[in-house]
Amino acid sequence: MDFEALLNYKPIDQGGRTTKAITGYRPHIEFDHIPGFLTSGAQRFLDQEEVDAGEIVKAEIAIATYYGIVGNLNLDDTFTFSEGKNVIGTGRITNIFNKNLLNVYSQKQVNNLIIRLESAIKFAHINKVLLVQNIKISIDSNKDLIITGFSKSQNFDMISKKSALLEINELKNTYSHWIGIIPSFKNFRNYINPTFVLSYMESKNGFGICMANKDGITWLIEL
């Protein structure tokens, strides 16, 4: 289980379920501070096996996929849970068991990061670059968002497809945390699914390793 939450199931007349939810029920989850990033979470109800519409219940929740959530949750964060587009309830985190999900920034760091991100986005609009956490924010000719990270490897021969995919996923998680911090990214039409690029070296001699977007992964070099 990843966290514990207090769940508020909507009444039927407000769009709630017309049948009971049984413990283990796995609706979609969307955290209010990370809009657009959906996962699903199995709800194990505490002290009861089923829930009616309109009930409030405590549950332990196991997340199915962690993209956008690692290092991005706090106590008292709120979320909705749904079946398709139909929101059937809301929740509030009361305990976090999976420490990998905990927010890694202090409030002072968040404030500084907001300033850096806002500046980097403004720079991107005039084709200039301000690196934030060693990540470049840029815009292509179609006005779509590109998020470029640079491999931590100091030796290109040490890079493999496996290590590159891990670094791309780290890049995705960092970006999703940014979305939870400032709303400015919503101004890009592809802000939920930007193009992610992993490069080797931030210099004129650098080159792209791989690129990931909603269509999948593209290898820019042979590994």
Side-chain angles (χ1 to χ4, degrees), residues 129 131 134-136 148-151 199-207:
V129 175
L131 292 182
N134 201 37
I135 295 172
K136 181 173 72 173
T148 303
F150 303 95
S151 178
S199 289
Y200 180 67
M201 297 174 59
E202 199 281 304
S203 72
K204 291 182 180 179
N205 297 321
F207 51 85

Side-chain angles (χ1 to χ4, degrees), residues 108-123 130 132 181-182:
K108 181 178 180 180
Q109 288 173 315
V110 169
N111 293 339
N112 290 334
L113 188 53
I114 289 171
I115 294 171
R116 294 282 292 179
L117 288 171
E118 294 286 8
S119 297
I121 290 171
K122 289 178 181 177
F123 270 57
L130 174 65
V132 182
I181 290 175
I182 64 169

Side-chain angles (χ1 to χ4, degrees), residues 210-221:
C210 59
M211 178 174 68
N213 55 29
K214 61 183 177 61
D215 298 320
I217 187 88
T218 300
W219 295 96
L220 304 175
I221 58 170

Side-chain angles (χ1 to χ4, degrees), residues 57-122:
V57 63
K58 287 184 178 180
E60 293 179 346
I61 296 178
I63 295 296
T65 57
Y66 295 99
Y67 172 44
I69 299 172
V70 173
N72 217 352
L73 297 186
N74 308 275
L75 288 178
D76 293 322
D77 279 348
T78 55
F79 57 90
T80 58
F81 53 97
S82 60
E83 295 178 351
K85 295 182 178 180
N86 184 35
V87 174
I88 58 171
T90 59
R92 176 176 60 83
I93 295 177
T94 56
N95 195 4
I96 298 176
F97 308 127
N98 185 346
K99 302 308 179 185
N100 292 325
L101 304 184
L102 282 169
N103 189 334
V104 294
Y105 298 116
S106 67
Q107 189 56 53
K108 181 178 180 180
Q109 288 173 315
V110 169
N111 293 339
N112 290 334
L113 188 53
I114 289 171
I115 294 171
R116 294 282 292 179
L117 288 171
E118 294 286 8
S119 297
I121 290 171
K122 289 178 181 177

